[in-house]
Amino acid sequence: MKSHISNALSDFFFEYETPRQVLVRNRRVGVVCRIIQLGVLAYIIGWVFIYEKGYQSADTAVSSVFTKMKGVGYTSINGSERVWDVADYVFPSQGDASFVVMTNYIITEGQEMGTCPELHGKHNCSTNADCEGGSFKRTGHGQMTGVCVENKTCEVLAWCPVEDDHKIPDPPMLMSAENYTLFIKNSVTFPLFGVSRSNLVEDIDAAYISKCLHHPDDAPLCPIFKLGDIVKLSGFDFETIARVGGAIGIVVDWTCNFDVDVTHCKPQYNFHGLYGNAAETDKAKASVGYNFRYAKHYMDNKVQKRTLLKVFGIRFDIIVQSLARKFDIIPTLTAIGSGVGIFGVATVVCDLVLLYLLPKRAFYKNMKFKYTDTHVQHDSELLGLEKSDYCNLEANARQVQGTGQSNDPDSEAGSTETEK
């Protein structure tokens, strides 16, 4: 028992096993093998390393965005002149990454709580029975009192007079918004690499900002944008989108390679029209544009009143995209190891061709696999020989026999076959 255990341990620690190799000289199989290997090599170099950057580790940024609008608008309605500044036309006013710039509006002044006729088309009536007191209509302005007034509409308890938004001003009231400017300040940090960057890069200083205006070719790094240029670069027509509103996405793209100096990590700005496309007519959509309402409340002779504005505007969403890469030995070795493993596909395919498709598949199978019979151990015991000595005698006998039967496909003689 001890000898078996010691022999097993000795074999485990002091012996080495290697696969049997068979050299096959066959042009078709050789060409198939090399084509597959070249394809795998092209995949590793072209896709894994060049396109997917498999030799680098990647990280996304933690980002912060600050915005500031500048510009003044002017309107004159029925002889009433008004100047609109940033506090009037930007919502919200805190400089968020998502905000709205008012370009058109419908104003209803001097509203106070009371009873008044509903707007025509909201709830028409012919008798008081058509106006159910205490009920509401989803599209109405208030609670019905149960009275049908002379203009054949139901009376409501609401902020009176009710808003009439059937006619949207055209041209837009604040076409001057085309000349407003937007300043974007963006800071990003890549935690994995410990790198922080700002869109105010090395070449941008206070003097440059005071006079620059973003242009894709002439001033691609300038962080000050003209609203008319943003709308144009997003593929929209300013007058069309200003009339009913819309949405535009501003993408700040940080795609950086930290294998070179970090000063080469600079942002790129892209503009995308989200909705409000000039090619989309009002008839093509159930709801067109972007609008909302807000009210300014005040007291007049101890009576609470308000000024209601239905605002049509352009919503800007600033989206930061980031991806930084840097060389890392771990993903490099992983990519190389997986590529070497894929090379085994060539061996599997060629073995299938040799063993199952070629006319001489029986000959190749005999060369590739070595078969052992149970009678070997029995015969060696009868002759009083060690198993290894018996196998050597049997191999020598086959070799001598093979000199006269070289065409026997089951013989190990002539193990190299050449295609004619």
Side-chain angles (χ1 to χ4, degrees), residues 303-355:
V303 177
Q304 184 181 16
K305 294 186 178 182
R306 72 176 189 179
T307 298
L308 178 67
L309 279 91
K310 182 176 182 179
V311 175
F312 300 88
I314 305 174
R315 177 189 174 100
F316 293 94
D317 293 304
I318 302 175
I319 305 164
V320 179
Q321 292 183 171
S322 61
L323 181 63
R325 295 181 180 273
K326 191 175 183 179
F327 174 78
D328 192 339
I329 190 63
I330 301 300
T332 302
L333 294 178
T334 302
I336 293 174
S338 62
V340 171
I342 298 175
F343 269 104
V345 173
T347 302
V348 173
V349 173
C350 291
D351 282 351
L352 292 174
V353 173
L354 283 172
L355 301 177

Side-chain angles (χ1 to χ4, degrees), residues 125-274:
C125 62
S126 56
T127 65
N128 291 343
D130 297 328
C131 304
E132 184 181 353
S135 63
F136 300 86
K137 190 174 182 182
R138 184 178 64 86
T139 58
H141 289 92
Q143 176 181 276
M144 288 186 287
T145 63
V147 177
C148 182
V149 296
E150 295 180 357
N151 61 354
K152 301 303 180 182
T153 61
C154 293
E155 184 184 67
V156 292
L157 173 65
W159 286 97
C160 299
V162 296
E163 177 192 58
D164 184 358
D165 61 349
H166 286 165
K167 185 178 180 181
I168 301 175
D170 191 12
M173 303 293 291
L174 291 173
M175 275 297 293
S176 57
E178 188 174 10
N179 297 315
Y180 298 168
T181 58
L182 167 65
F183 170 62
I184 298 176
K185 186 176 181 180
N186 175 219
S187 298
V188 295
T189 298
F190 297 94
L192 181 63
F193 306 123
V195 176
S196 297
R197 297 289 291 165
S198 170
N199 65 331
L200 306 180
V201 295
E202 289 74 16
D203 298 332
I204 297 178
D205 54 21
Y208 178 77
I209 291 180
S210 64
K211 61 182 180 180
C212 80
L213 197 62
H214 181 86
H215 187 277
D217 299 321
D218 300 334
L221 295 176
C222 179
I224 298 178
F225 307 82
K226 185 179 176 181
L227 257 60
D229 294 338
I230 294 176
V231 173
K232 182 178 179 181
L233 291 171
S234 67
F236 289 175
D237 174 72
F238 189 87
E239 183 173 353
T240 302
I241 196 174
R243 178 178 176 272
V244 294
I248 293 175
I250 302 175
V251 178
V252 185
D253 184 17
W254 293 88
T255 302
C256 302
N257 181 9
F258 289 147
D259 288 334
V260 298
D261 194 274
V262 294
T263 57
H264 291 87
C265 181
K266 299 178 180 179
Q268 291 184 335
Y269 301 96
N270 302 295
F271 309 93
H272 304 276
L274 303 180

Side-chain angles (χ1 to χ4, degrees), residues 24-35 350 353-354 358 364 417-420:
V24 179
R25 291 193 176 96
N26 186 295
R27 290 188 179 91
R28 285 173 291 181
V29 176
V31 169
V32 169
C33 181
R34 297 298 174 254
I35 290 176
C350 291
V353 173
L354 283 172
L358 292 183
Y364 293 125
E417 188 271 340
T418 304
E419 184 183 55
K420 301 294 185 179

